[in-house]
Amino acid sequence: MSRIAVLITDMFEDIEYTKPAEAFSGAGHDLVHVGLSAGETVRGKKGEAEVTIDRAASDVSVDEFDALFIPGGYSPDKLRAHDAPVEFVREFVRSGKPVLGICHAPQLLITAQVLEGRRITGWKSIAQDIKNAGAEYIDREVVVDGNLVSSRNPDDIPAFIRASLEKLDEAGGGKVEAAAARQR
């Protein structure tokens, strides 16, 4: 299965992390929590979830992962103030590997300058920011555009999980086919 980098720091939206993380793990995917400092414990804004950071964003490479998951809340806004997470996101989007983001996740994509010409959704208060970044804002529970899967808010979590798992399966199938082609 896929190895997913979860880019996260303090004040993430608890349920936007916990529900997808449970679904991804339940489907056999491996989650690696990437943040500002390895070993740090970060907390959700409602205090319902805590996460220990496995790796610092400054110490990881896109090549180590099959997908990127960015929960919402205040976490994306806090992360985009730091160069390493922004560069990691930029490289991930450009890699073509799945990038799964919900709510305020597009804030990191905006700062990474990777939304020009893309279609995406997110929390309604950042709709204009998304448009200003050159993307088309779509007010829908889930939007899939190439390697990007996005949703607006906690109400969209079931659709987000379904679309994300489909994208992970699609990407995994591509890995299997590529490995088979190398064997020939």
Side-chain angles (χ1 to χ4, degrees):
M1 292 320 248
S2 296
R3 188 166 194 231
I4 303 171
V6 181
L7 190 54
I8 194 166
T9 195
D10 275 321
M11 302 294 286
F12 58 89
E13 185 68 50
D14 300 70
I15 197 167
E16 291 174 356
Y17 163 73
T18 58
K19 291 294 184 188
E22 288 169 9
F24 299 158
S25 292
H29 301 290
D30 181 33
L31 303 181
V32 178
H33 298 91
V34 176
L36 298 175
S37 300
E40 170 185 36
T41 298
V42 297
R43 291 167 182 78
K45 68 181 197 176
K46 294 184 176 152
E48 298 167 0
E50 288 186 353
V51 174
T52 300
I53 301 302
D54 300 307
R55 307 274 305 278
S58 58
D59 296 332
V60 294
S61 165
V62 171
D63 297 336
E64 299 175 53
F65 303 99
D66 302 304
L68 173 62
F69 167 43
I70 308 170
Y74 297 116
S75 173
D77 190 42
K78 293 177 82 152
L79 287 166
R80 71 181 181 157
H82 301 272
D83 293 339
V86 171
E87 187 56 33
F88 185 60
V89 168
R90 180 179 298 119
E91 291 175 16
F92 226 104
V93 172
R94 290 179 177 165
S95 76
K97 296 177 183 181
V99 176
L100 321 169
I102 188 166
C103 195
H104 283 79
Q107 290 179 307
L108 264 165
L109 303 173
I110 290 166
T111 303
Q113 299 179 331
V114 292
L115 287 183
E116 181 87 29
R118 304 298 298 262
R119 299 173 72 237
I120 194 166
T121 196
W123 184 249
K124 61 186 172 187
S125 71
I126 63 169
Q128 190 59 52
D129 300 322
I130 289 169
K131 293 173 189 175
N132 291 345
E136 179 183 356
Y137 176 80
I138 309 290
D139 186 12
R140 193 175 313 143
E141 67 180 358
V142 68
V143 174
V144 178
D145 180 24
N147 62 325
L148 300 180
V149 176
S150 58
S151 284
R152 301 170 298 191
N153 59 54
D155 293 339
D156 299 340
I157 290 173
F160 177 73
I161 290 171
R162 277 192 306 276
S164 295
L165 288 173
E166 286 174 15
K167 183 59 70 178
L168 291 167
D169 286 347
E170 178 185 303
K175 285 189 300 189
V176 171
E177 291 167 16
R182 284 194 299 273
Q183 296 292 327
R184 291 185 198 131

